């Protein structure tokens, strides 16, 4: 399948839809998406028309109506859709953020002795996370990796936060079941 070029606005709206939808199979209301991406519901409705034309979204009519992402939406955002993704917790300044699930952890510049950074890809909004916040990611399901760091930057469109790593640890041996 050829990749679809989305505008940053379409990408953030589609990401919000996928994140809001992932919990259950109910259609997501335009107002919920508008709140998540900090836009007006009219703007969301207009963008949804173009996303429907690209076959990334289907509209659900009626009182329980709203929008659902199509399989193509996951491809366009390069998101693997799992029935029950493992939950990887995230804490901000010591407070759990249950609405955020860590999707991917990328370690960058690990060879640099002072500047080790982690790129954390989230499902859920990164809007409330600010530079300078203390973040704890993990433990991850398999290796029980826990990363502590300070937010160095973020990309709201792609749901990424950049951490300057303060510490990383994983138990020497995986816990026995």
């Amino acid at each position: 399948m050829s990749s679809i070029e989305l505008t940053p606005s379409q990408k953030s709206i589609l990401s919000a839809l996928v994140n809001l939808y992932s919990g259950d199979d109910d259609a997501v209301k335009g107002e919920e998406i508008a709140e998540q991406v900090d836009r007006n519901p009219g703007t969301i409705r207009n963008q949804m028309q173009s996303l429907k034309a690209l076959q990334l979204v289907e509209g659900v009519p009626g009182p329980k109506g709203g929008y659902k992402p199509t399989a193509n939406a996951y491809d366009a955002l390069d998101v693997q859709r799992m029935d029950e993704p493992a939950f990887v917790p995230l804490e901000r300044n010591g407070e759990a953020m249950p609405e955020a699930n860590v999707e991917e952890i990328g370690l960058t510049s690990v060879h640099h002795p002072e500047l080790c950074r982690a790129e954390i890809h989230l499902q859920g909004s990164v809007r409330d996370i600010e530079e300078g916040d203390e973040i704890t990611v993990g433990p991850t399901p398999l290796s029980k990796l826990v990363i502590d760091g300070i937010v160095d930057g973020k990309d709201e469109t792609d749901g990424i936060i950049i951490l300057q790593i303060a510490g990383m640890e994983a138990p020497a041996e995986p816990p026995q079941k």
Side-chain angles (χ1 to χ4, degrees), residues 14-166:
L14 195 58
S15 295
L17 172 63
V18 165
N19 291 336
L20 289 165
Y21 181 73
S22 60
D24 50 39
D25 282 343
D26 290 338
V28 179
K29 301 223 172 296
E31 291 75 22
E32 288 179 74
I33 299 167
E35 195 175 304
Q36 185 96 29
V37 296
D38 209 15
R39 296 267 168 70
N40 149 337
T43 304
I44 303 301
R45 280 191 294 278
N46 293 340
Q47 289 284 3
M48 284 302 175
Q49 295 310 315
S50 62
L51 292 171
K52 276 190 217 170
L54 292 168
Q55 298 180 327
L56 299 175
V57 172
E58 58 186 62
V60 180
K64 286 217 179 270
Y67 304 99
K68 289 185 173 188
T70 64
N72 294 345
Y74 292 89
D75 292 341
L77 293 172
D78 201 20
V79 173
Q80 279 79 45
R81 186 170 183 196
M82 291 180 274
D83 290 337
E84 299 221 354
F87 183 73
V88 178
L90 181 83
E91 285 183 5
R92 177 177 150 247
N93 299 327
E95 297 282 317
M97 295 184 71
E99 69 284 355
N101 188 8
V102 176
E103 200 167 78
E104 185 180 320
I105 300 170
L107 298 174
T108 58
S109 61
V110 286
H111 62 280
H112 194 291
E114 284 100 42
L115 282 179
C116 189
R117 292 198 178 347
E119 207 174 85
I120 311 294
H121 296 245
L122 295 179
Q123 272 192 338
S125 176
V126 299
R127 196 171 60 198
D128 297 339
I129 298 172
E130 302 294 335
E131 276 187 36
D133 283 351
E134 291 180 22
I135 299 288
T136 300
V137 177
T140 59
L142 213 52
S143 65
K144 306 298 177 213
L145 174 70
V146 176
I147 299 175
D148 292 307
I150 306 292
V151 176
D152 209 28
K154 66 180 179 175
D155 176 343
E156 286 191 36
T157 307
D158 290 330
I160 297 171
I161 53 176
I162 308 292
L163 293 185
Q164 187 158 347
I165 297 175

